Amino acid sequence: MGKVRGYLAMSLDGFIAGPHDELAWLEQARESGLPLATDEWAATRPEGLEFDDFLASIGCIVMGRRTYDVVEGFDGPWAYGDTPMLVATSRPLSPAHPTVEAIAGTVDQIIDRARDLAGERDVYVDGGHTIRSVHDAGLLDHLVLTIQPTALGAGVPLFAGLAMPAEFPVEKVQRWGPGFVQVQLTTRLGERSA
């Protein structure tokens, strides 16, 4: 059985999107004109885990409805290819992609269904509420956080609202892209991920 993993970008102050679900801050030029990296970090070769490489290990995606509504509206090709996706929702869903299916139930039921679809491959969970719920249920194995060194001040939080404090052993810290900091965390000792 594969692992249950998350892969997200986050601001320095813990937000995964702006107050209105905006993500442009991840790609826009910085208003301050300051670079993302200087000195030793700027000279460090980017070796972080790219999304396409992460997705290659995934057999099923579990995404919250709010996150799905945001990514479904992106321009360009569907980023998730033909990987099955379960969208956790209680509202009707008219998916634009044949691999997308609405699902309702307990966190355990949703992850069990995702594991069935994933086979021996990993399950990717995405969305702040979804990751918090999966973590609180004790089902999250691994998390890849790519941190943009910008503080937003407000937005959609990743960890705010956890049922209890969370502690994660650090596996790796690497540079990703033009100067982001990528941290790979585990919730299980002795079980390394890619």
Side-chain angles (χ1 to χ4, degrees):
M1 179 182 338
K3 294 183 186 304
V4 177
R5 304 174 69 195
Y7 184 103
L8 298 109
M10 182 175 81
S11 67
L12 195 58
D13 52 350
F15 297 107
I16 58 175
H20 305 287
D21 296 324
E22 64 271 19
L23 298 172
W25 56 275
L26 287 166
E27 297 178 351
Q28 288 177 335
R30 301 175 97 189
E31 289 181 23
S32 66
L34 291 171
L36 286 168
T38 64
D39 302 327
E40 288 181 40
W41 195 246
T44 302
R45 197 170 97 221
E47 294 183 342
L49 179 63
E50 294 292 337
F51 181 74
D52 289 343
D53 295 330
F54 172 80
L55 193 59
S57 69
I58 301 301
C60 184
I61 301 164
V62 174
M63 186 175 284
R65 177 62 184 265
R66 182 175 181 174
T67 302
Y68 173 77
D69 287 344
V70 170
V71 301
E72 203 277 322
F74 286 168
D75 292 332
W78 182 239
Y80 308 98
D82 59 0
T83 305
M85 178 183 287
L86 301 175
V87 178
T89 186
S90 58
R91 295 180 282 140
L93 179 70
S94 299
H97 305 280
T99 58
V100 175
E101 168 187 337
I103 189 167
T106 67
V107 173
D108 288 302
Q109 291 167 336
I110 293 169
I111 295 300
D112 284 348
R113 173 77 173 121
R115 284 181 166 146
D116 287 346
L117 290 170
E120 295 298 314
R121 302 178 81 198
D122 293 341
V123 172
Y124 165 31
V125 292
D126 195 7
H129 179 76
T130 304
I131 286 184
R132 286 190 302 273
S133 296
V134 170
H135 177 272
D136 286 345
L139 300 171
L140 185 66
D141 298 309
H142 189 257
L143 192 56
V144 179
L145 293 176
T146 304
I147 303 164
Q148 214 267 34
T150 296
L152 296 178
V156 178
L158 176 56
F159 293 118
L162 282 174
M164 64 181 67
E167 297 176 345
F168 302 95
V170 176
E171 286 184 353
K172 284 185 195 175
V173 178
Q174 296 174 301
R175 179 177 163 183
W176 184 91
F180 291 48
V181 178
Q182 190 174 82
V183 182
Q184 293 195 34
L185 308 166
T186 184
T187 62
R188 315 267 190 250
L189 288 178
E191 298 182 20
R192 292 189 50 91
S193 295

